[in-house]
Amino acid sequence: MLIGAGAATLVLLNGRIAGVSGILGKVVQESIGEQGWRLGFLAGLLAPALILGVGSAHMPQHWLWAIASGLLVGAGTHVGSGCTSGHGVCGLANLSTRSLVATLVFMASAVITVFVVRHGFTP
């Protein structure tokens, strides 16, 4: 619900789509004037968890795993033209066919992964 509320607020106040991976990627690429709202939006995503202390951060035993994981997620969002929340929340709300296909693919992948992990896979 909070992702949807954040996406709706960004569209209403700024006229921009809340594709978080795209916003984060363009923080490095855009000029200073365009970075302000992006940094504010990203800080707004992190602030509630930091203020309330919700959840706990569990890092892998070696920091290289965290870096490798982050790079793989970044590559996946680049190849997939967005992240799961971007396609699932913003893309579907805009009736994007590409987002519908992406959402169906990652939901099917999640269902298959859960099935295999819970029930094992024996060929």
Side-chain angles (χ1 to χ4, degrees), residues 60-84:
Q61 289 183 352
H62 201 280
W63 58 272
L64 284 175
W65 284 112
I67 292 173
S69 300
L71 290 172
L72 285 172
V73 169
T77 60
H78 181 72
V79 170
S81 299
C83 59
T84 54

Side-chain angles (χ1 to χ4, degrees), residues 27-52:
V27 163
V28 179
Q29 299 172 351
E30 295 293 322
S31 62
I32 298 297
E34 282 291 307
Q35 287 180 339
W37 73 266
R38 288 184 173 93
L39 291 171
F41 183 78
L42 294 171
L45 292 177
L46 297 175
L50 295 174
I51 292 169
L52 299 174

Side-chain angles (χ1 to χ4, degrees), residues 1-14 16-20 23 37 41 44-45 89-90:
M1 287 179 18
L2 292 176
I3 292 173
T9 302
L10 186 63
V11 166
L12 290 173
L13 297 179
N14 201 3
R16 306 280 183 141
I17 301 298
V20 178
I23 291 172
W37 73 266
F41 183 78
L45 292 177
V89 175
C90 301

Side-chain angles (χ1 to χ4, degrees), residues 72-120:
L72 285 172
V73 169
T77 60
H78 181 72
V79 170
S81 299
C83 59
T84 54
S85 61
H87 283 298
V89 175
C90 301
L92 291 180
N94 286 321
L95 303 176
S96 167
T97 304
R98 179 174 68 176
S99 290
L100 175 62
V101 171
T103 303
L104 291 173
V105 167
F106 66 71
M107 290 303 290
S109 299
V111 168
I112 292 167
T113 300
V114 169
F115 180 82
V116 168
V117 168
R118 288 196 178 169
H119 302 289

